C-alpha cells in the first residue's frame, strides 16, 4: 500500500472505514468470511422521499435515510444529520463507527445513523419542524425504543429530538416512548451531563491514556500544549475542560479561520468572542493563522473536533503533536494513519475518544425506561468508569498485539486494538446467538 502524497487518496468515508476494518481483521483469526461481510456492511438502509409545505407556499420534496448498521448487541444507536452534502456512504460509515463504538465501550447497543439532505441554515424553524415530523412519520416503526434510537448530530439539536419524540409518541399512544430518542431537553427526559458528555469523555480517556504511560514523559495534562480544530459542541467544550485540567490551549479554529497564542488562550473568552462575532478569529491578544496551521501546530496534543478526513496522506507528515485525540468521527484517513504511525504519532481513535456522547445517551435511555433522573455526580462517575475501562481494554489489547506481527510485518496501533476488541465482541455475540436459521 502506498503512502505517497502524490497518489490521489480515496476520501470516501466508508472506504476509509473498510480500510480500518480490514487492517483490524488481519489481527483476528477464525472469523468466517460470511460473518466478515455481515459485520462490515449495513443490515438495512431505508430511503424515504417526502413532501414538505414551505413558508412561501411552495412544496419541496426532501430525501432522507436511516442506516441500521448492526444490532446483534442491542438496538441500533446513532445520530441524525441535517446537511446539504450528507450522503448514503457517509451515513453508512458513521453507522459502522457507531456499531464499533458501542461495542468497544461495552454498552448494549448496535449502530445506526440517519440524515436528511437539506440546508438548515436556509430553513425557518417552522419548516424544520414540519420536515422533522414528516421524516419521523415516514420512518414509521424503523425507529423505536428497542429497535433503533436516534440522537442529535451535525445541525440537529435538543429541539429536533423533542419533535422526534413528540411525533413518535403521537403515533404510539399509551406507551412510555421517551426512550425512542436521546439528546432530548431535560424537561422531557433528557439527561444531565449529555451536552458535555463527548468532551468530558475525551478528557477522561486522554487522562487515563497518559496515566497508562502510552506517551513517554507525558503522564498528565499539566502544562501540556493542545491545539483544537473545530469550536462547536465537541471542540469548544474539550478546549474548556482540557484547560481546566491543566493544559494550555495554544491554537483553535472554526470554519472561518484559526487563532493561536503560545502563552495559552482562555477557552471561555474564545467562546464568548465566537458567540458575539460568529468566529474565533479576531480575539484580542491572539494571532490569526490558517486552518491548516492548526493541524501542523507545534504542540503536544492535537484534537480534531470538526469534520471527517481532515488529516490525510497529503498533510499527515506535517503533524507535530505526539498524540491525536479524535473528538470528531473519522478525522484521520487510512493512509494518514500509516504515516502517523511511522512518525511515532499516537492516535486515540474516535471509537474510544468520542464515545462519551453515546455512553451518556445510553444513561438517558436507561433513565427513560425507569422514569428516573440521575444526578450529575452519578452520570460523571459512571461515564468515568466506562471511559477508563474502554482505555484499559484498548491499551491492554495494544500491548498484547505489539508482541506479535499481523503476518504482513505491521505493528498494531491503538485503533487496531480498539477495533479488534469491538469486532471480537460483536462476532462472539453473533456466534453465541447462532443467528443463522
Ligand atoms: P458542531 O456543529 O457543534 O461543531 C463543528 C465545528 O467545526 C464548528 O465550530 C465549525 O465551525 C467547525 N468547522 C467546520 N469546518 C471546519 C474546518 N474546515 N476547519 C475548522 N473548523 C471547522 O459539531 P459537533 O457536535 O461539535 O461535532 C463535531 C465532530 O464531533 C463531528 O465529527 C461529530 O460527528 C463528532 N462528534 C460529536 C458528538 C457530540 O456529542 N456533539 C459526539 C461524537 C462525535
Amino acid at each position: 500500500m502506498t503512502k505517497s502524497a502524490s497518489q490521489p487518496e480515496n476520501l470516501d468515508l466508508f472506504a476509509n472505514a473498510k480500510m480500518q476494518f480490514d487492517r483490524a481483521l488481519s489481527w483476528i483469526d477464525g472469523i468466517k468470511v460470511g460473518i466478515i461481510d455481515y459485520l462490515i456492511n449495513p443490515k438495512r438502509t431505508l430511503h424515504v422521499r417526502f413532501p414538505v409545505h414551505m413558508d412561501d407556499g411552495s412544496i419541496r420534496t426532501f430525501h432522507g435515510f436511516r442506516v441500521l448498521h448492526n444490532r446483534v448487541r442491542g438496538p441500533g444507536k446513532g445520530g441524525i444529520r441535517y446537511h446539504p452534502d450528507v450522503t448514503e456512504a457517509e451515513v453508512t460509515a458513521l453507522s459502522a463507527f457507531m456499531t464499533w463504538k458501542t461495542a468497544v465501550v461495552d454498552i448494549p447497543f448496535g449502530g445506526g445513523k440517519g440524515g436528511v439532505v437539506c440546508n438548515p441554515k436556509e430553513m425557518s424553524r417552522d419548516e424544520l419542524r414540519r420536515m422533522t415530523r414528516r421524516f419521523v412519520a415516514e420512518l414509521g416503526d424503523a425507529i423505536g425504543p428497542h429497535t433503533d434510537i436516534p440522537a442529535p448530530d451535525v445541525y440537529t439539536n435538543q429541539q429536533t429530538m423533542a419533535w422526534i419524540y413528540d411525533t413518535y409518541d403521537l403515533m404510539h399512544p399509551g406507551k412510555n416512548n421517551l426512550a425512542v430518542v436521546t439528546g432530548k431537553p431535560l424537561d422531557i427526559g433528557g439527561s444531565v451531563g449529555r451536552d458535555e458528555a463527548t468532551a468530558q469523555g475525551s478528557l477522561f480517556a486522554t487522562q487515563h491514556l497518559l496515566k497508562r504511560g502510552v506517551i513517554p514523559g507525558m503522564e498528565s495534562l499539566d502544562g501540556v500544549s493542545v491545539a483544537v480544530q473545530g469550536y462547536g459542541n465537541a471542540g469548544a467544550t474539550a478546549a474548556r475542560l482540557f484547560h481546566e485540567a491543566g493544559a494550555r490551549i495554544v491554537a483553535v479554529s472554526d470554519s472561518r479561520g484559526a487563532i493561536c497564542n503560545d502563552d495559552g488562550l482562555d477557552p471561555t473568552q474564545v467562546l464568548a468572542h465566537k458567540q458575539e462575532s460568529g468566529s474565533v478569529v479576531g480575539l484580542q491578544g491572539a494571532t490569526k493563522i490558517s486552518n491548516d496551521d492548526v493541524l501542523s501546530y507545534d504542540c503536544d496534543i492535537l484534537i480534531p473536533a470538526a469534520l471527517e478526513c481532515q488529516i490525510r496522506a497529503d498533510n499527515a507528515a506535517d503533524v507535530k503533536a505526539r498524540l491525536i485525540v479524535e473528538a470528531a468521527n473519522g478525522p484521520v484517513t487510512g493512509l494518514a494513519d500509516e504515516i502517523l504511525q511511522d512518525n511515532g504519532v499516537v492516535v486515540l481513535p474516535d471509537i474510544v475518544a468520542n464515545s462519551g456522547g453515546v455512553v451518556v445517551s445510553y444513561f438517558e435511555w436507561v433513565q427513560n425506561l425507569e422514569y428516573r433522573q440521575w444526578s450529575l455526580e452519578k452520570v460523571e462517575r459512571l461515564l468515568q468508569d466506562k471511559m477508563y475501562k474502554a482505555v484499559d481494554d484498548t491499551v491492554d489489547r495494544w500491548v498484547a498485539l505489539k508482541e506479535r506481527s499481523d503476518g504482513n510485518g505491521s505493528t498494531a496501533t491503538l485503533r487496531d486494538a480498539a477495533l479488534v476488541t469491538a469486532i471480537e465482541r460483536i462476532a462472539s455475540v453473533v456466534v453465541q446467538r447462532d443467528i443463522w436459521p
Side-chain angles (χ1 to χ4, degrees):
M1 188 179 301
T2 179
K3 299 174 192 174
S4 161
S6 59
Q7 303 249 343
E9 191 180 11
N10 185 353
L11 296 180
D12 175 287
L13 195 58
F14 192 53
N16 277 281
K18 273 187 168 158
M19 203 168 153
Q20 294 176 1
F21 183 84
D22 288 344
R23 230 188 103 115
L25 275 185
S26 64
W27 297 96
I28 305 175
D29 300 321
I31 298 191
K32 289 185 176 162
V33 173
I35 296 186
I36 293 171
D37 270 359
Y38 178 68
L39 293 183
I40 182 68
N41 291 304
K43 180 178 178 62
R44 178 185 72 199
T45 302
L46 181 65
H47 286 259
V48 290
R49 289 186 175 75
F50 53 95
V52 175
H53 192 258
M54 306 303 279
D55 290 348
D56 64 3
S58 64
I59 304 284
R60 214 180 122 194
T61 295
F62 288 88
H63 178 196
F65 27 83
R66 180 79 191 168
V67 179
L68 177 60
H69 182 261
N70 189 293
R71 64 168 199 218
V72 296
R73 285 174 45 89
K77 187 83 194 82
I80 290 183
R81 181 171 286 201
Y82 287 173
H83 198 279
D85 302 327
V86 67
T87 63
E88 183 181 338
E90 179 183 80
V91 170
T92 303
L94 293 167
S95 71
F97 292 150
M98 290 306 297
T99 299
W100 304 334
K101 198 180 297 187
T102 52
V104 80
V105 79
D106 205 9
I107 54 178
F109 287 143
K113 206 85 181 187
V116 178
V117 184
C118 66
N119 189 349
K121 288 185 178 171
E122 291 174 359
M123 292 170 70
S124 72
R125 186 179 187 279
D126 282 351
E127 287 171 339
L128 283 169
R129 189 189 65 244
R130 290 193 289 268
M131 185 188 80
T132 302
R133 286 191 180 284
R134 183 66 197 235
F135 180 47
V136 174
E138 296 284 343
L139 290 178
D141 284 333
I143 61 168
H146 302 287
T147 51
D148 187 5
I149 306 150
D153 193 70
V154 174
Y155 295 144
T156 56
N157 53 28
Q158 287 190 356
Q159 179 60 75
T160 326
M161 302 306 113
W163 292 329
I164 292 174
Y165 163 68
D166 186 68
T167 310
Y168 186 87
D169 194 52
L170 281 171
M171 293 161 61
H172 300 82
K175 293 182 185 156
N176 172 11
N177 294 309
L178 285 171
V180 68
V181 64
T182 59
K184 301 180 294 295
L186 272 184
D187 287 344
I188 46 173
S191 176
V192 290
R194 176 61 186 87
D195 275 354
E196 295 194 337
T198 301
Q200 185 69 63
S202 301
L203 175 69
F204 286 148
T206 306
Q207 286 174 318
H208 202 57
L209 188 83
L210 296 182
K211 241 186 256 153
R212 291 283 315 250
V214 168
I215 313 290
M218 203 197 291
E219 271 79 41
S220 83
L221 285 172
D222 262 345
V224 159
S225 55
V226 176
V228 183
Q229 184 203 35
Y231 220 69
N233 177 303
T237 315
R240 179 170 59 76
L241 295 178
F242 275 67
H243 169 78
E244 287 168 5
R248 196 161 32 95
I249 308 302
V250 290
V252 300
S253 65
D254 62 23
S255 57
R256 299 199 194 168
I259 54 170
C260 69
N261 182 342
D262 282 338
D263 292 332
L265 298 158
D266 177 342
T268 309
Q269 273 181 19
V270 177
L271 186 62
H273 177 74
K274 180 173 168 68
Q275 281 165 347
E276 206 178 286
S277 70
S279 172
V280 298
V281 177
L283 179 76
Q284 218 179 0
T287 308
K288 186 177 185 309
I289 52 176
S290 76
N291 271 334
D292 289 348
D293 291 339
V294 170
L295 300 177
S296 59
Y297 206 81
D298 195 357
C299 61
D300 299 311
I301 299 180
L302 172 64
I303 307 181
L307 303 167
E308 41 273 353
C309 299
Q310 294 299 294
I311 301 165
R312 303 170 303 266
D314 62 350
N315 62 1
D318 301 331
V319 171
K320 297 186 187 66
R322 297 174 66 200
L323 172 65
I324 294 179
V325 176
E326 292 187 324
N329 283 309
V332 175
T333 65
L335 289 184
D337 253 341
E338 298 187 353
I339 295 167
L340 294 168
Q341 186 184 17
D342 285 352
N343 291 348
V345 180
V346 174
V347 178
L348 181 60
D350 45 11
I351 60 172
V352 176
N354 70 34
S355 61
V358 74
V359 168
V360 176
S361 274
Y362 163 58
F363 296 161
E364 179 176 333
W365 182 77
V366 172
Q367 292 169 74
N368 291 161
L369 294 177
E370 297 180 346
Y371 293 107
R372 282 177 197 275
Q373 202 134 43
W374 298 352
S375 66
L376 183 59
E377 185 273 330
K378 178 170 177 171
V379 168
E380 287 190 345
R381 180 169 40 83
L382 294 180
L383 173 63
Q384 188 181 55
D385 288 351
K386 277 287 183 202
M387 298 309 300
Y388 282 12
K389 176 76 168 48
V391 168
D392 279 335
D393 289 349
T394 303
V395 173
D396 290 347
R397 179 61 69 113
W398 186 47
V399 170
L401 291 180
K402 281 204 298 185
E403 282 172 7
R404 60 188 182 92
S405 161
D406 69 343
N408 304 320
S410 299
T411 39
T413 61
L414 284 176
R415 192 189 312 283
D416 295 331
L419 272 167
V420 166
T421 301
I423 294 167
E424 284 189 354
R425 282 184 181 157
I426 302 160
S428 159
V429 176
V430 168
V431 172
Q432 288 180 63
R433 284 178 62 162
D434 226 351
I435 60 169
W436 28 83

